[in-house]
Amino acid sequence: MPKAPAGTLYRGREGMWSWVAHRITGVLVFFFLFAHVLDTALVRVSPSSYNEVIEVYKSPIVNLLEVGLVAAVLFHALNGIRIILIDFWESGPKYQKQMLYIELVLFVVLLVPAAYRMLQHTAETLFGNAT
Amino acid sequence: MATTAAPADRGAPELAAPRSPRRRTKPGTAKARSNFELHAWVFMRISGLLLFFLVLGHLVIMNVLDGGVQRVNFGFVAGRWASPFWRTWDLVMLLLAELHGTNGLRTVINDYAERAQTRFWLKMLLYTSAFLVVTLGTLVIFTFDPDL
């Protein structure tokens, strides 16, 4: 298999796959934003209609989807910082792979405790409060 | 007649004299090229950096801290939006996120929709939805009534 020329950023491996993931997470978050502005707009309709819809966010399955949303936003945010560094830091393109691995470590380190806190209530309702 | 070769200059581009200033328009077209794509590129980086703090802060407050989404209801929103600080936060975040996302989707549409008509209508749909989201969201933040 022909090797990609050295110094390439978007062709294959880390550079390309992070670009793909950036696109996918960006589109996902954009569609959620559309829904989220509509649900928040219900505060202008009535407190009860807002509360009713917000209850959906508290249900176990949607709660799990929220962790997915937070993961998508977190990846997009961290990778966005990496893109800015590639563009504006003179050694950015040289260290783009290393920055991706640092980014992925940060992603896990930040997501795990956040997901734990987010799912605590759902886990307690589903499996009982084990105290 | 058909055997004679075409003149060598048929369809050849007009070449400017060496060292003449860089021409940014195609010969014969009046419309000057704009720097829109450059400005959009810069906007993505500036708004992205601001959104890093605004959106991650929003997610931590709304979903992680102090019971997360389980404590969110009309009263919680009323409490937050009593403060101009959080209203400003939410307004800036709304505008930046919607514009950042709209420009992102514009790029995606330009990349994958191959027919000019498809690109045009997808972008019209995109801009219409962006206008609706920005208008509705701004209106809600400015006209929120805690005593509703």
Side-chain angles (χ1 to χ4, degrees), chain A residues 23 44 51 58 87 121, chain B residues 45 70 72 74 111-112 143:
Chain A
R23 287 221 143 168
R44 285 303 289 127
N51 290 343
K58 305 178 188 178
D87 288 339
H121 180 88
Chain B
R45 271 118 193 109
Q70 304 297 332
V72 177
F74 185 85
D111 277 356
Y112 301 120
T143 67

Side-chain angles (χ1 to χ4, degrees), chain B residues 59-123:
Chain B
L59 287 179
V60 167
I61 294 166
M62 304 306 278
N63 291 290
V64 178
L65 292 183
D66 200 22
V69 75
Q70 304 297 332
R71 77 202 194 290
V72 177
N73 57 26
F74 185 85
F76 183 78
V77 176
R80 273 168 60 80
W81 279 356
S83 143
F85 177 81
W86 293 116
R87 279 191 184 204
T88 310
W89 179 303
D90 287 354
L91 182 67
V92 173
M93 182 168 66
L94 166 75
L95 297 177
L96 289 179
E98 188 60 29
L99 286 175
H100 187 100
T102 300
N103 191 49
L105 256 85
R106 183 183 69 89
T107 310
V108 171
I109 291 170
N110 282 340
D111 277 356
Y112 301 120
E114 292 185 8
R115 288 182 56 221
Q117 285 264 307
T118 315
R119 275 200 305 276
F120 175 80
W121 287 111
L122 282 176
K123 280 188 270 185

Side-chain angles (χ1 to χ4, degrees), chain A residues 62-72 111 114-116 118-119:
Chain A
V62 181
N63 189 222
L64 199 62
L65 292 175
E66 278 156 34
V67 176
L69 174 75
V70 168
L111 185 65
Y116 177 79
M118 288 177 71
L119 294 170

Side-chain angles (χ1 to χ4, degrees), chain B:
Chain B
M1 188 182 102
T3 51
T4 49
D9 64 343
R10 180 186 284 177
E14 285 174 38
L15 287 182
R19 293 179 192 274
S20 54
R22 190 168 150 223
R23 199 169 189 171
R24 309 206 65 181
T25 54
K26 272 188 188 161
T29 53
K31 211 176 143 200
R33 249 178 66 179
S34 78
N35 277 332
F36 176 78
E37 291 297 340
L38 169 68
H39 294 140
W41 184 92
V42 172
F43 170 77
M44 290 309 263
R45 271 118 193 109
I46 296 173
S47 61
L49 193 59
L50 293 170
L51 285 165
F52 182 91
F53 299 102
L54 291 170
V55 174
L56 291 183
H58 179 75
L59 287 179
V60 167
I61 294 166
M62 304 306 278
N63 291 290
V64 178
L65 292 183
D66 200 22
V69 75
Q70 304 297 332
R71 77 202 194 290
V72 177
N73 57 26
F74 185 85
F76 183 78
V77 176
R80 273 168 60 80
W81 279 356
S83 143
F85 177 81
W86 293 116
R87 279 191 184 204
T88 310
W89 179 303
D90 287 354
L91 182 67
V92 173
M93 182 168 66
L94 166 75
L95 297 177
L96 289 179
E98 188 60 29
L99 286 175
H100 187 100
T102 300
N103 191 49
L105 256 85
R106 183 183 69 89
T107 310
V108 171
I109 291 170
N110 282 340
D111 277 356
Y112 301 120
E114 292 185 8
R115 288 182 56 221
Q117 285 264 307
T118 315
R119 275 200 305 276
F120 175 80
W121 287 111
L122 282 176
K123 280 188 270 185
M124 282 305 123
L125 183 69
L126 173 68
Y127 299 150
T128 310
S129 84
F131 176 77
L132 279 171
V133 166
V134 165
T135 311
L136 179 68
T138 308
L139 214 62
V140 166
I141 293 174
F142 276 111
T143 67
F144 178 71
D145 176 10
D147 302 317
L148 187 75

